[in-house]
Amino acid sequence: MLEVTPIACLQDNYAYLLDDGSGELAVVDVSEAGPVRDALKRTQRKLTAVFATHHHHDHVGGNEEIAGEHPGLRIHGYESDRGRIPGQTDFLRDGQTLTWGKSEVRALHIPGHTMGAVAYVLGDAVFTGDTLFLAGCGRLFEGTPAMMHRSLNDVLVPLGGGVRVFCGHEYTVGNLTFAASVEPDNLAVRERLEKSRAARSKGEPTVGSALAEELATNPFVRCKSPAIRDSMKLDDRASDVEVFAALRKAKDSFRAPK
């Protein structure tokens, strides 16, 4: 089974160290070199691959420094991010599979947050960058609501409820606070919020939860919910994309009560 170690970076980012038992290591999103370097020092295995989910600096800022320390390192990203991801060596297409170590890696194009966003599927794990967060989704910096809705609901959700989700930031408590505000009678949201607050109070990450939890608690994949539609002042005549767009706009200006 793939071993995934979250690496806290910057203020609230995660990089991920991947070990599939092959003797090779990979990192998803080298946000900054220092914490990744420290994690690598604790193992004798060789870093051979970096998987970048998108071009934003807080996800690729350490690429060139790490690449300089690991000759032959392959840095993967989506093909349309050519020139935007530092040190990129491999330009992936939607649905492309590649071999790293003894693992098959599948790249899924998930535009919305950025046009070149890509998720990586390895076994029962998916690395979603800033597209799917736990109980939330990323802001629409380059894409449209329709793009992001499709990326979440038509590309990522069908991966199955047992898939473990590893996203780019520790935003879970804030996302669940928003979820509770738009679907106040959702018991699963309240329970997950309590659980996430407890984990954070102990300094533990929330990432790596099952995709099934998103189906129960993430408003951005629950656009058919009558309660959410009521909160957005939309009825059953509104499309799911219209509900999604209203949710994203509301989340952009949401401030949790103190």
Side-chain angles (χ1 to χ4, degrees), residues 80-122:
S80 68
D81 268 344
R82 185 182 294 270
R84 304 177 91 186
I85 295 177
Q88 186 175 358
T89 61
D90 291 72
F91 303 87
L92 304 177
R93 303 179 305 278
D94 183 30
Q96 181 175 343
T97 60
L98 59 107
T99 299
W100 159 74
K102 60 183 183 182
S103 299
E104 180 180 89
V105 182
R106 182 159 53 112
L108 299 175
H109 186 212
I110 48 171
H113 180 66
T114 67
M115 293 302 292
V118 60
Y120 297 94
V121 182
L122 292 85

Side-chain angles (χ1 to χ4, degrees), residues 28-215:
V28 177
D29 284 353
V30 184
S31 304
E32 56 178 334
V36 171
R37 184 184 299 114
D38 291 343
L40 292 170
K41 285 178 181 177
R42 295 192 284 271
T43 177
Q44 298 301 311
R45 297 181 177 182
K46 182 181 180 181
L47 179 67
T48 59
V50 166
F51 299 112
T53 62
H54 62 292
H55 73 272
H56 283 165
H57 184 75
D58 64 326
H59 292 258
V60 299
N63 278 7
E64 292 182 316
E65 191 172 340
I66 288 295
E69 298 167 1
H70 298 271
L73 182 68
R74 310 299 298 182
I75 298 178
H76 302 79
Y78 196 62
E79 60 183 355
S80 68
D81 268 344
R82 185 182 294 270
R84 304 177 91 186
I85 295 177
Q88 186 175 358
T89 61
D90 291 72
F91 303 87
L92 304 177
R93 303 179 305 278
D94 183 30
Q96 181 175 343
T97 60
L98 59 107
T99 299
W100 159 74
K102 60 183 183 182
S103 299
E104 180 180 89
V105 182
R106 182 159 53 112
L108 299 175
H109 186 212
I110 48 171
H113 180 66
T114 67
M115 293 302 292
V118 60
Y120 297 94
V121 182
L122 292 85
D124 74 337
V126 61
F127 300 88
T128 58
D130 288 2
T131 300
L132 174 65
F133 291 129
L134 301 190
C137 75
R139 289 177 179 264
L140 304 180
F141 287 117
E142 295 177 5
T144 65
M147 285 179 181
M148 182 67 102
H149 181 269
R150 179 186 179 279
S151 293
L152 296 176
N153 293 277
D154 297 345
V155 179
L156 294 175
V157 166
L159 293 175
V163 170
R164 296 179 293 160
V165 178
F166 297 92
C167 58
H169 291 267
E170 183 56 71
Y171 288 166
T172 311
V173 169
N175 287 342
L176 286 165
T177 303
F178 173 74
S181 76
V182 298
E183 202 174 12
D185 294 330
N186 187 329
L187 180 59
V189 168
R190 297 202 302 270
E191 290 177 344
R192 191 180 188 190
L193 178 55
E194 183 178 343
K195 176 183 173 183
S196 297
R197 282 174 172 159
R200 296 306 297 150
S201 70
K202 294 182 285 187
E204 298 173 354
T206 61
V207 291
S209 66
L211 189 54
E213 285 200 90
E214 301 312 306
L215 299 177

